[in-house]
């Protein structure tokens, strides 16, 4: 057959495809059907000729139309997907955001109050609640009036005068902006200052958009301030710095500003200067707008703003304003350009630059006041609204599980699919209370959500806003907000979505426990209540751990320090009426190797039936890459040990390092390399090679210079200067003094001490400082234990094992 293709141009402009056979030519068109006669003239026809072409396959117009329609549909679907993806970009969503939604987000602030112990965090929060109208009267932290601060709702907190659990609340603050009153909705989390409750600060920083870092005007940057700064930097949390206690003797806010720059390595400048100092402290001068701000009336409820700056402070105010502009020029290109051109930036330009660089975590504006004296807290609230970010200013990312956990940006827009993080759990008379930060979409009462970790569907029966231990029911929570829900079974750090997005959120950093206690109820009838309490405490606090020691069969609780565990034992007694006996705290020692040692171990056992046979050859050495991690490697050539048995060797190494040969504590910083071995046709098994690896490691451990490591704690002690000599004597017996700082009336010492030497230290410190000293500890690193201590520990461990065997 000969096929000729011809293109005929019709009056309509359509194209026809010609097919030819002997005796006639037929033309087929996708549009109208046109038949050509033998003479070549065209005649319109509604149907093609009835002649059939037998044995040939022809494409009819209808089938071709279907194919074209299909490809068009696929193209349309692809374009729709591309358009949907393009519409989901942050820029596109921001462009489509309604003015009402943009305004709502612009007036939301999620902040935390964080600081060193006793810097006045809870006192500051109490004043914020009072000035915003959330509480009608101010109560002091230690609860001398029998009420106590609103945010310290636990009886233990009011007794001890410390914050143990972070507490959430919210408030509305009205401030003048561009001549008009603007209402800002502020979600606040008040965090503990003590290092033992550091997880409360960690999880608050994980979900907050900004923070107020409170500093003492006398002490400035202290040890826990450095820890809080590290936590803020870990989660990229912008902060303003509030220098509190300006009414105290020796108050010097500019010392605090200098220490933020030097110790915290963060550009900082005062945006206020004090009017008067110590007992004469009256208020502040706002350096941005050059105006005086004072508090008046009972409890400082009235704020008096004046353009008249005291004559004796005018020159000083100009000098400090210039310092502010110079510091901003170092971090902000726009101000730098104006500064180099010797132009004076406007108030709006200074405010915009402070906000830009604060949100970028390159700068912190420093404000000052005295919460206890009810002075200059309102200007600090104005600074929170002016300079800290709203939820849309912060880039929050999730991980897309469908794309190998690729980062994806979350947009705080109500109409998008829901994504939220459960960051804190709390037991309540009504059941489990789960605190949730809404990153995207909105949450409605009765809505169904999916837990990304368990893939379980849960219903939200009740949504509340927390005001310390009080609750306010709400029907809906918008994007960028913080709320709490009841009736949701989950763990701290779980991600919730509406089921349409395969997203998960990274959880918070959880430090390792540094201290352990053996514990048991005094009465066997309390076993159920004890078990219930332990389960609750572990769910609420990821740093509180419990396990049963296989050898001693004791219940061991572990935590961040002496106070941490003491609080939980006290809560057991008060909340669950369970009296407990606690044993000597057990320090979490570690074991390691110090040199290379070869091994060639043969396991050969026969017991009548199939036996155990495994031979492993290799060496143990310190891990050259990481001093606190273990490493297992196989370099077997020639298949002397099959791959399946090599995997069993790796498992055996993991098991043996969980319980070291010297004390039964974890082994760290060791490397085991298997280079050769042998198998038996019938007696070799996974079990045999697993066991042989464990026994080979134990045998080689002593040859490799097995050593006990003890945890060293970075200990910071503060006390009045008069007790400096007593403190030096006390610390020389316990560790190495790293740094000392003598203030106007306070002495601070930083030392590295063995945790073992710090048990009962609080009692000795109270005796040496007449109860005026305080200290905090945090884990620093592991170091070799002194030989005499190692010998004692090993002998004690061997006696315990021997006593168990004779039972």
């Amino acid at each position: 057959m000969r096929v000729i293709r011809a293109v005929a141009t019709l009056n309509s402009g359509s194209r026809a495809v010609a097919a030819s056979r002997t005796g006639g030519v037929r033309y087929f068109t996708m549009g109208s059907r046109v038949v050509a006669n033998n003479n070549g003239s065209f005649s319109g026809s509604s149907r093609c000729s009835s002649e059939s072409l037998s044995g040939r396959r022809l494409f009819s117009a209808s089938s071709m139309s279907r194919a074209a329609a299909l490809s068009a549909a696929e193209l349309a679907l692809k374009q729709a997907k591309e358009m949907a993806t393009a519409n989901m970009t942050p820029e596109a969503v921001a462009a489509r955001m309604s003015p009402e939604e943009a305004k709502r987000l612009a007036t939301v602030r999620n902040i935390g109050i964080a600081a060193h112990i006793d810097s006045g965090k809870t006192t500051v929060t109490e004043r914020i609640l009072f000035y915003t109208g959330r509480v009608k009267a101010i109560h002091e932290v230690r609860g001398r009036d029998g009420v106590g601060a609103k945010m310290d709702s636990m009886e233990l907190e009011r007794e001890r005068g410390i914050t143990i659990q972070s507490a959430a609340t919210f408030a509305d603050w009205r401030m003048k902006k561009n001549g008009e009153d603007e209402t800002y909705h502020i979600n606040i989390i008040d965090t503990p200052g003590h290092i033992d409750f550091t997880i409360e600060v960690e999880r608050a920083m994980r979900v907050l958009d900004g923070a107020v870092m409170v500093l003492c005007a006398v002490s400035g940057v202290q040890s826990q301030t450095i820890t809080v700064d590290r936590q803020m930097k870990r989660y990229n949390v912008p902060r303003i710095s509030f220098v509190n206690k300006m009414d105290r003797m020796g108050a010097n806010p500019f010392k605090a500003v200098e220490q933020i720059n030097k110790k915290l390595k963060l550009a900082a400048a005062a945006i206020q200067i004090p009017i008067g100092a110590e007992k004469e402290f009256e208020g502040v001068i706002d350096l941005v707008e050059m105006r005086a701000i004072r508090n008046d009336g009972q409890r400082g409820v009235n704020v008096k703003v004046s353009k008249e700056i005291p004559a004796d402070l005018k020159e000083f105010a100009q000098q400090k304003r210039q310092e502010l502009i110079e510091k901003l020029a170092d971090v902000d290109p726009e101000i730098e350009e104006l500064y180099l051109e010797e132009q004076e930036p406007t108030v709006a330009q200074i405010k915009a630059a402070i906000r830009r660089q604060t949100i970028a975590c390159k700068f912190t504006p420093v404000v000052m006041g005295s919460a206890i004296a009810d002075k200059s807290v309102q200007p600090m609230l104005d600074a929170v609204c002016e300079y800290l970010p709203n939820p849309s200013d912060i880039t929050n990312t999730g991980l897309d599980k469908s794309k190998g956990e690729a980062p994806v940006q979350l947009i705080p827009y109500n109409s998008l699919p829901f994504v939220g993080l459960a960051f804190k759990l709390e037991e309540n008379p009504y059941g489990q209370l789960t605190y949730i930060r809404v990153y995207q979409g909105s949450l409605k009462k009765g809505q169904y959500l999916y837990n990304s970790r368990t893939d379980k569907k849960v219903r939200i029966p009740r949504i509340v806003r927390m005001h310390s231990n009080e609750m306010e029911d709400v029907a809906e929570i918008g994007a960028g907000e913080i709320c709490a829900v009841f009736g949701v079974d989950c763990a701290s750090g779980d991600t919730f979505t509406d089921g349409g997005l395969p997203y998960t959120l990274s959880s918070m950093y959880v430090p390792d426990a540094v201290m352990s206690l053996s514990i048991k109820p005094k009465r066997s009838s309390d076993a159920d209540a004890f078990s219930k309490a332990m389960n609750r405490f572990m769910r609420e606090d990821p740093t509180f751990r419990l396990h049963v020691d296989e050898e001693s069969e004791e219940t061991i609780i572990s935590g961040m320090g002496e106070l941490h565990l003491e609080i939980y034992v006290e809560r057991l007694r008060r909340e669950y009426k369970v009296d407990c006996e606690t044993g000597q705290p057990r320090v979490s020692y570690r074991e390691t190797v110090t040199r290379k040692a070869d091994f060639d171990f043969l396991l050969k056992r026969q017991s009548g039936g199939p036996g155990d046979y495994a031979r492993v050859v290799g060496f143990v050495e310190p891990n050259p890459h990481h001093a606190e991690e273990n490493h297992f490697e196989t370099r077997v050539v020639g298949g002397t040990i099959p791959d399946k048995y090599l995997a069993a060797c790796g498992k055996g190494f993991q098991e043996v390092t969980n319980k070291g040969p010297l004390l039964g504590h974890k082994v760290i910083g060791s490397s085991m390399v298997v280079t050769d071995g042998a198998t038996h046709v019938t007696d070799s098994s996974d079990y045999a090679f697993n066991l042989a690896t464990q026994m080979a490691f134990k045998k080689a451990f002593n040859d490799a210079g097995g050593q006990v490591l003890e945890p060293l704690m970075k200990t910071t002690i503060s006390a009045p200067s008069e007790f400096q000599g007593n403190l030096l004597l006390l610390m020389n017996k316990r560790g190495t003094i790293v740094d000392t700082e003598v203030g106007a009336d306070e002495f601070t010492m930083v030392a590295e001490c063995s945790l073992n030497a710090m048990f009962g230290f609080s009692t000795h410190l109270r005796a040496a400082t007449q109860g005026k000293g305080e200290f905090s500890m945090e884990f620093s690193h592991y170091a070799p234990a002194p030989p005499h201590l190692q010998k004692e520990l090993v002998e004690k461990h061997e006696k315990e094992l021997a006593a168990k065997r004779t039972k």
Side-chain angles (χ1 to χ4, degrees):
M1 179 195 75
R2 191 172 71 239
V3 178
I4 302 168
R5 290 191 179 172
V7 177
T9 306
L10 305 180
N11 293 334
S12 62
S14 62
R15 285 193 288 174
V17 180
S20 165
R21 67 177 285 217
T22 306
V25 181
R26 288 191 175 83
Y27 293 86
F28 298 92
T29 176
M30 293 296 294
S32 58
R33 293 170 183 170
V34 182
V35 179
N37 298 326
N38 286 344
N39 61 9
S41 62
F42 292 98
S43 62
S45 172
S46 60
R47 291 180 305 179
C48 291
S49 171
S50 59
E51 285 186 54
S52 63
L53 304 177
S54 63
R56 291 179 176 83
R57 194 172 184 181
L58 295 178
F59 292 95
S60 69
S62 59
S63 65
M64 292 173 78
S65 295
R66 280 197 300 273
L70 189 63
S71 63
E74 287 172 350
L75 182 65
L77 187 64
K78 186 181 177 185
Q79 286 175 342
K81 282 182 180 177
E82 287 173 357
M83 196 176 291
T85 305
N87 285 340
M88 284 292 286
T89 61
E91 294 80 11
V93 170
R96 292 201 318 275
M97 195 175 286
S98 65
E100 296 79 17
E101 178 68 4
K103 187 176 181 182
R104 180 191 73 82
L105 276 176
T107 55
V108 171
R109 298 290 182 273
N110 296 313
I111 65 164
I113 313 290
H116 181 82
I117 312 153
D118 203 31
S119 292
K121 296 178 298 300
T122 306
T123 308
V124 168
T125 312
E126 187 79 359
R127 294 322 184 265
I128 290 172
L129 295 177
F130 179 70
Y131 295 133
T132 55
R134 290 294 294 157
V135 297
K136 301 302 177 192
I138 291 172
H139 298 285
E140 298 312 329
V141 169
R142 290 193 182 270
R144 294 185 188 94
D145 56 1
V147 180
K150 180 66 188 173
M151 302 306 280
D152 286 345
S153 57
M154 282 175 67
E155 188 184 339
L156 267 171
E157 291 179 318
R158 290 175 178 177
E159 278 180 20
R160 292 173 179 252
I162 60 170
T163 303
I164 294 168
Q165 287 187 331
S166 59
T169 186
F170 63 97
D172 289 332
W173 175 243
R174 292 174 71 84
M175 70 169 278
K176 280 212 177 292
K177 192 167 184 182
N178 302 324
E180 293 181 11
D181 273 355
E182 186 103 54
T183 302
Y184 286 83
H185 179 76
I186 307 173
N187 294 303
I188 305 165
I189 297 181
D190 177 31
T191 65
H194 204 288
I195 189 68
D196 283 26
F197 311 110
T198 188
I199 190 64
E200 295 290 331
V201 188
E202 283 287 342
R203 54 179 158 208
M205 292 305 153
R206 169 65 184 82
V207 298
L208 292 172
D209 300 325
V212 176
M213 184 171 73
V214 183
L215 298 104
C216 173
V218 178
S219 306
V221 171
Q222 296 168 274
S223 59
Q224 192 61 16
T225 317
I226 295 169
T227 305
V228 165
D229 169 70
R230 190 163 60 241
Q231 290 167 321
M232 289 178 184
K233 285 174 179 171
R234 183 180 291 134
Y235 302 109
N236 295 319
V237 178
R239 92 283 297 262
I240 64 166
S241 301
F242 178 63
V243 180
N244 192 26
K245 303 190 179 183
M246 283 297 298
D247 59 328
R248 270 185 67 184
M249 189 176 289
N252 182 358
F254 303 106
K255 170 191 165 188
V257 174
E258 186 185 348
Q259 288 178 334
I260 295 171
N261 280 284
K262 288 184 177 176
K263 287 189 175 182
L264 305 185
K265 306 278 191 294
L266 179 66
I271 61 170
Q272 295 173 354
I273 61 168
I275 302 172
E278 300 175 355
K279 286 183 181 178
E280 306 298 318
F281 178 65
E282 293 177 33
V284 293
I285 293 170
D286 178 357
L287 298 177
V288 179
E289 298 192 36
M290 292 302 280
R291 56 185 187 163
I293 304 171
R294 294 177 176 89
N295 286 78
D296 193 20
Q298 190 179 11
R299 288 294 193 178
V301 290
N302 300 322
V303 179
K304 292 171 68 179
V305 180
S306 167
K307 285 287 181 183
E308 290 296 318
I309 295 172
D312 59 329
L313 289 172
K314 275 184 180 176
E315 190 180 333
F316 185 58
Q318 284 295 347
Q319 178 196 329
K320 287 295 175 185
R321 190 176 199 266
Q322 189 60 27
E323 281 182 23
L324 168 65
I325 292 168
E326 286 172 8
K327 187 61 75 172
L328 282 172
D330 289 341
V331 292
D332 189 79
E334 191 177 311
I335 300 295
E336 181 188 22
E337 195 175 321
L338 291 169
Y339 183 74
L340 293 173
E341 291 172 1
E342 297 185 0
Q343 291 182 30
E344 180 78 11
T346 63
V347 169
Q349 285 172 326
I350 293 173
K351 284 187 175 182
I354 293 172
R355 180 174 170 78
R356 265 196 310 273
Q357 300 312 322
T358 301
I359 292 172
C361 297
K362 292 180 180 177
F363 179 79
T364 175
V366 182
V367 294
M368 50 200 70
S370 173
I372 198 81
D374 308 315
K375 289 176 182 170
S376 301
V377 174
Q378 295 98 324
M380 181 268 286
L381 272 172
D382 287 345
V384 165
C385 301
E386 196 87 62
Y387 304 123
L388 287 182
N390 66 55
S392 62
D393 290 326
I394 297 292
T395 302
N396 289 303
T397 55
L399 303 173
D400 191 337
K401 293 193 289 185
S402 66
K403 295 180 181 176
E405 296 199 344
V408 59
Q409 188 169 337
L410 302 174
I411 305 141
Y413 192 26
N414 283 353
S415 62
L416 291 175
F418 177 84
V419 180
L421 178 72
F423 66 94
K424 178 178 162 70
L425 307 180
E426 216 175 80
E427 281 295 326
N428 186 284
Y430 305 101
Q432 181 177 297
L433 188 66
T434 305
Y435 288 78
I436 290 181
R437 163 70 197 263
V438 181
Y439 283 101
Q440 182 175 284
S442 62
L443 181 61
K444 297 180 181 68
K445 184 179 175 181
Q447 185 176 343
Y448 284 93
L449 296 180
Y450 286 83
N451 187 325
S452 291
R453 179 178 59 87
T454 61
D455 285 331
K456 285 184 180 175
K457 186 178 179 182
V458 293
R459 184 176 176 274
I460 306 297
R462 187 182 176 194
I463 305 173
V464 294
R465 283 188 187 278
M466 296 304 297
H467 179 42
S468 186
N469 58 338
E470 294 174 12
M471 290 169 286
E472 184 181 301
D473 282 275
V474 290
E476 184 177 356
I477 286 287
E481 300 265 10
I482 292 171
C483 67
V485 299
F486 278 105
V488 175
D489 183 28
C490 67
S492 184
D494 281 357
T495 303
F496 287 96
T497 68
D498 65 349
L501 294 173
Y503 290 175
T504 185
L505 293 162
S506 58
S507 192
M508 71 283 299
Y509 166 77
V510 180
D512 285 337
V514 295
M515 187 181 288
S516 301
L517 279 174
S518 65
I519 188 169
K520 65 176 180 181
K522 284 183 179 177
R523 300 180 297 272
S524 56
S525 58
D526 288 336
D528 286 346
F530 176 80
S531 176
K532 188 178 178 182
M534 290 296 112
N535 284 329
R536 172 191 165 181
F537 294 157
M538 282 194 291
R539 284 169 72 86
E540 287 183 0
D541 184 353
T543 58
F544 179 80
R545 286 139 196 183
L546 176 142
H547 74 278
V548 177
D549 189 272
E550 290 177 10
E551 293 178 359
S552 65
E553 295 178 357
E554 288 181 323
T555 301
I556 307 293
I557 55 172
S558 306
M560 300 307 298
E562 207 168 355
L563 178 64
H564 190 207
L565 298 179
E566 185 187 320
I567 290 291
Y568 277 115
V569 172
E570 185 63 19
R571 284 184 66 188
L572 262 170
R573 189 178 67 78
R574 293 190 185 202
E575 296 174 28
Y576 289 88
K577 307 292 184 282
V578 177
D579 284 320
C580 290
E581 292 176 358
T582 55
Q584 171 67 33
R586 290 185 56 205
V587 178
S588 298
Y589 291 104
R590 294 289 183 264
E591 301 176 30
T592 192
V593 294
T594 56
R595 57 179 179 265
K596 185 176 177 179
D598 295 322
F599 62 82
D600 184 347
F601 186 82
L602 174 65
L603 172 68
K604 190 176 181 182
R605 292 195 303 206
Q606 205 67 39
S607 56
D612 295 313
Y613 183 96
R615 183 184 171 211
V616 285
V617 181
F619 58 89
V620 171
E621 65 177 355
N623 186 351
H625 305 296
H626 204 294
E628 292 195 4
E629 289 182 8
N630 295 317
H631 173 70
F632 179 78
E633 190 180 342
T634 58
R635 297 179 191 168
V636 177
V637 291
T640 52
I641 303 178
D643 287 347
K644 62 177 181 176
Y645 295 151
L646 289 174
C649 292
K651 286 179 183 172
F653 174 70
Q654 285 177 1
E655 287 172 25
V656 77
T657 54
N658 283 334
K659 194 170 281 192
L662 296 176
L663 303 179
H665 286 268
K666 279 186 179 179
V667 177
I668 60 170
S670 65
S671 175
M672 186 177 192
V673 180
V674 175
T675 56
D676 200 2
T679 60
H680 187 275
V681 178
T682 56
D683 292 352
S684 289
S685 64
D686 287 353
Y687 170 76
F689 273 93
N690 183 314
L691 191 60
T693 305
Q694 292 190 45
M695 294 171 82
F697 183 83
K698 286 178 181 177
K699 187 180 176 185
F701 194 79
N702 284 336
D703 296 337
Q707 187 178 58
V708 174
L709 301 175
E710 64 176 351
L712 288 190
M713 310 300 289
K714 181 186 173 187
T715 308
T716 306
I717 306 114
S718 299
S721 298
E722 63 199 87
F723 302 110
Q724 185 174 347
N726 295 357
L727 277 178
L728 287 166
L729 283 172
L730 199 62
M731 294 313 295
N732 278 330
K733 297 174 185 176
R734 285 177 163 78
T736 308
I737 296 169
V738 177
D739 187 24
T740 56
E741 188 179 323
V742 183
D745 58 356
E746 196 172 57
F747 170 74
T748 303
M749 178 192 295
V750 180
E752 279 191 347
C753 310
S754 157
L755 179 58
N756 200 40
M758 293 303 289
F759 288 129
F761 177 71
S762 53
T763 308
H764 293 289
L765 180 65
R766 278 196 291 267
T769 62
Q770 298 174 11
K772 296 175 184 175
E774 60 180 37
F775 80 104
S776 67
M777 288 195 309
E778 63 178 309
F779 172 72
S780 176
H781 63 282
Y782 281 100
H788 70 276
L789 176 62
Q790 178 167 322
K791 189 178 177 184
E792 281 175 27
L793 291 168
V794 172
E795 284 175 0
K796 184 182 174 185
H797 180 64
E798 286 174 353
K799 279 179 185 175
E800 286 174 359
L801 292 178
K804 228 173 264 174
R805 282 194 289 266
T806 55
K807 275 184 183 177

